[in-house]
Amino acid sequence: MSEIDYQKVEEELFKLHNDLRTNPSCFIPKLENVLQYFKNKIYHLPDEEAFQTFEGDQAVKEAIEFLKIQRPVQELTFSKELQNACKDHVEDIGPKGLTTHEGSDGKLLSDRIEKYCEWDGAIAENLEFGLKTAEHIMLNLLINDGIQQRYQRNNLFHPELKYVGIACGPHKIYSICTVIGYARGVREFNTEPQDVTDFINEYIQNSTNHKEIKNDFQEDEPYAPDNTVSLKIIKKNKTVGDKTKKITQKIFTLDNGAQHIVEIEENN
């Protein structure tokens, strides 16, 4: 196997993110081309290892139909701080052969980001294992085989996620792992936050106006994703630089094991 240029994959993935977000239909021919690499539910891309899918080519066809109606969203801005947080996760789970959003030390995406900067509004994370080229990684995230809610695809197009960091590295079991972190806002320590209140109001409006209530959590929590299976609420003091503030952290665990985290700063 030839050596993987991880930096090149990261750079190409960033470009493909924005190609996809600003012109969703440009990926339709790429997905149509993918259909030829299925034999029943076995998916075997050129220069990649074959693997068993859950849905076969039906997931690809569904993604094509999705892109036909998906509207463009704004480009993502690259964040070195998010990239560093992603790199920490790659260097943690890669050598251990893990495939989880939670680190081996129990830390979550929010913990990893807060090592480098402050974040505002909302964050999300996509993971991919085994695929070695940026285009194949992006296509797999877009297809999101086996995940009914297509949460990885949703992250690609989420209009409130405006910053991204990407890191790739070796993986004990799958050869390569890719970690992609997204945030609504990132800022340096000891700087004032953007107007998160407007974001929260917008988020609540979008949640209540455009999404049916699909689980018990959404009755009381407009932030809750459709596939939430549990909610943990933590009230704590968080020190950022030389300032300490009181926050409420809501950690929604999804049925696929991923976590959606919202932090709200208390006024007093």
Side-chain angles (χ1 to χ4, degrees), residues 13-22 73-79 82 126 138 154-166 180-185:
L13 264 175
F14 174 65
K15 180 181 183 301
L16 288 176
H17 265 80
N18 285 331
D19 288 347
L20 178 64
R21 284 171 70 96
T22 58
V73 292
Q74 71 179 61
E75 291 188 351
L76 293 166
T77 299
F78 174 79
S79 166
L82 290 179
N126 279 346
M138 184 58 70
N154 292 340
N155 288 341
L156 296 177
F157 289 102
H158 201 305
E160 279 93 21
L161 296 174
K162 299 179 180 180
Y163 294 85
V164 67
I166 304 167
I180 307 171
Y182 307 88
R184 198 266 183 176

Side-chain angles (χ1 to χ4, degrees), residues 20-128:
L20 178 64
R21 284 171 70 96
T22 58
N23 185 15
S25 63
C26 76
F27 264 70
I28 291 176
K30 298 178 187 295
L31 287 171
E32 291 173 338
N33 183 60
V34 159
L35 292 171
Q36 67 181 300
Y37 299 114
F38 277 87
K39 184 176 182 181
N40 297 321
K41 292 187 177 181
I42 302 297
Y43 184 33
H44 193 180
L45 287 163
D47 302 319
E48 303 279 6
E49 294 185 10
F51 59 90
Q52 177 84 34
T53 67
F54 292 94
E55 302 173 66
D57 63 4
Q58 289 305 307
V60 182
K61 294 175 181 177
E62 188 270 336
I64 291 171
E65 294 306 310
F66 169 86
L67 290 183
K68 289 179 180 179
I69 60 174
Q70 172 61 41
R71 294 181 178 179
V73 292
Q74 71 179 61
E75 291 188 351
L76 293 166
T77 299
F78 174 79
S79 166
K80 184 64 177 178
E81 294 81 7
L82 290 179
Q83 183 181 49
N84 287 337
C86 293
K87 185 177 295 185
D88 285 350
H89 200 44
V90 168
E91 293 176 351
D92 175 30
I93 66 175
K96 299 178 180 69
L98 302 176
T99 58
T100 58
H101 291 273
E102 184 175 305
S104 63
D105 55 2
K107 290 185 177 180
L108 304 173
L109 174 60
S110 60
D111 301 307
R112 295 189 287 272
I113 293 175
E114 287 164 11
K115 180 180 175 182
Y116 299 101
C117 66
E118 183 62 288
W119 61 271
D120 300 311
I123 52 177
E125 184 174 68
N126 279 346
L127 304 179
E128 183 57 56

Side-chain angles (χ1 to χ4, degrees), residues 196-207:
V196 182
T197 302
D198 287 347
F199 162 73
I200 292 173
N201 291 335
E202 179 184 348
Y203 195 105
I204 291 173
Q205 183 178 10
N206 288 340
S207 299

